[in-house]
Amino acid sequence: MSFEWIASHQSAKPTTEIPLLSSADIRAIEASTEPIIGQPGLMEQAGLAIARWVLAQAPHAHFFWIACGNGNNGGDGAEAAIHLHRWGKTVYVSAVKSPKSAPADASRAWTRLVAEGIAVHHEAPDSWDVCIDALLGIGLQRHPEPPYAEWIKRINQAAKPTFAIDVPSGLDADTGSTFEPVVQASATLSLVGLKPGLFTHQGRDVCGDIWLHKLGTESTTEHIRCTLNPTPKPLPRPHASHKGSFGDVAIVGGALGMQGAAVLAACAALHAGAGRVFLAFLNSEGLQGVGIPPDIMLRSPDTLPHQGLTVVAGCGGEHDIGHHLPHWLELAERLVIDADALNAIAIRPDLAQALVQRRADTTVITPHPLEAARLLGCKTTQIQANRLDAAQRLAETFQCTVILKGSGSVIAAPGRKPRINPTGNGRLAIGGTGDVLAGLTGTLLSQRSTAWEAASESCYIHGLLADQWPQQTTLTASRLIEHL
Ligand SMILES: NC(=O)C1=CN([C@@H]2O[C@H](COP(=O)(O)OP(=O)(O)OC[C@H]3O[C@@H](n4cnc5c(N)ncnc54)[C@H](O)[C@@H]3O)[C@@H](O)[C@H]2O)[C@H](O)CC1
Ligand SMILES: [K+]
């Protein structure tokens, strides 16, 4: 039996590409795991793993409230209760009364629990040291109903250490969307495999530290829904190199009053290590007060060189960027499309068509959920309801690499399994950080062999800077650049 620590509640730093499995994948693995006569089944193994894990997390706790649902998640809780009881802990087991009988594995667990002489209650206790949340797992289908909802509220109000089995109850394991109310866990022990919902959208805010126990199962490639974006390897900078070795990046953006966005992107490209950075304002009126480092070469959009150029289009581009996009969509060797450039593509089929026709793997688009919704002609809530699907749809529709920004940014490309980025935190929710990401992505795109690699590394590094940010200092976009 082995536990794997995956992520602190802030973020994970995986060195390898960790697989994430959908609920259907998990069920397929469970179904293909043959029970061995005389050996504990998966749920019995789960129960022992949970009891050991909770005890290791809260060694001095005595009174354990084990809140169990009607399905197999509840069965896991019942199995765990048996071990904690045998080890001398006080267990208070609450089970949801339901007209439906529990599934077979869970029924066996309940029979064993009763045979141990453990009482089964149908209400919450008055107080407890530690709660084990075994209410709802991957079978969650809707907003928790009574008494699930009441118990979840009690758990959250008590603010005691809470250990979620598989997923915090109320969290959709596949999408990271929550059905209210949702358990706010101190830590989550994911069973069999890690689920995407733990790492994107609202999932990152409710799981606490994330642990994995595979219960001796193995997933094969066909079971994998997506992966966690791994830690990138630094690009070597050989002695025998020159400024031409590290990419030419041009930022095309900065309409009237929005030049700061383009400057942020250009500075990010510079600090990320591009060999040469050009900045082409769409409007250079009123630039006083906008500090542009002398390392950056100013050009007009019409006088930029073409050959070998990576263009970052859109930062602060307003409507004006639309006039320049046909040119760069056709001629830029590599292209990052952000912000207003995405909005232009969303309303102009000619631009969308030009994007689709670009050579594969040379283009990264970096929409936030609202921009993604405009591109796909749907609502932001629909994007957020399934971020993995939305990112993949964008990649297939526009035939390019996608960074769908937000908590747990999703990186997608045609014909690939998406990645969820595990770094980054709420400090990045401030104006200008998107421009920094665009500039950074531009530099990496100019230096890496594929758009996929560039997008993955860029997301990781951008988030990591925020994770390493000093506690007492406010993160701003310009300060973020200084740390690149
Ligand atoms: N079977 C095994 O060998 C193992 C299972 N594991 C655990 O099992 C759960 C998944 O179990 P499942 O029974 O499919 O689903 P749930 O327990 O999550 O819940 C199903 C139950 O709840 C009802 N329901 C769904 N949503 C709601 C709601 N919002 N309000 C009220 N009731 C709801 C639904 O109708 C069902 O009756 C998995 O997560 C693991 O914890 C172990 O991994 C070990 C092996
Ligand atoms: K749970």
Side-chain angles (χ1 to χ4, degrees), residues 67 69 73-74 76 132-138 163-171 183 188-189:
N73 198 248
D76 290 348
I132 297 181
D133 158 30
L135 287 169
L136 293 158
I138 59 171
F163 298 100
I165 304 313
D166 215 17
V167 288
S169 298
L171 176 69
V183 164
T188 298
L189 178 62

Side-chain angles (χ1 to χ4, degrees), residues 26-27 30 41-47 50 69-76 96 98 100-101 103 105-106 134-146 148-149 165-167 170 179 189-192 195 215:
I26 300 278
R27 291 195 195 284
E30 279 173 3
L42 279 185
M43 190 171 283
E44 285 168 84
Q45 292 184 51
I50 295 159
N70 183 47
N72 285 325
N73 198 248
D76 290 348
V96 167
S98 164
K100 275 199 289 182
S101 53
D105 287 347
L135 287 169
L136 293 158
I138 59 171
L140 174 84
Q141 291 153 350
R142 50 193 181 272
H143 285 281
E145 294 155 4
Y148 289 93
I165 304 313
D166 215 17
V167 288
F179 290 92
L189 178 62
S190 193
L191 297 166
V192 179
K195 289 91 188 162
L215 307 178

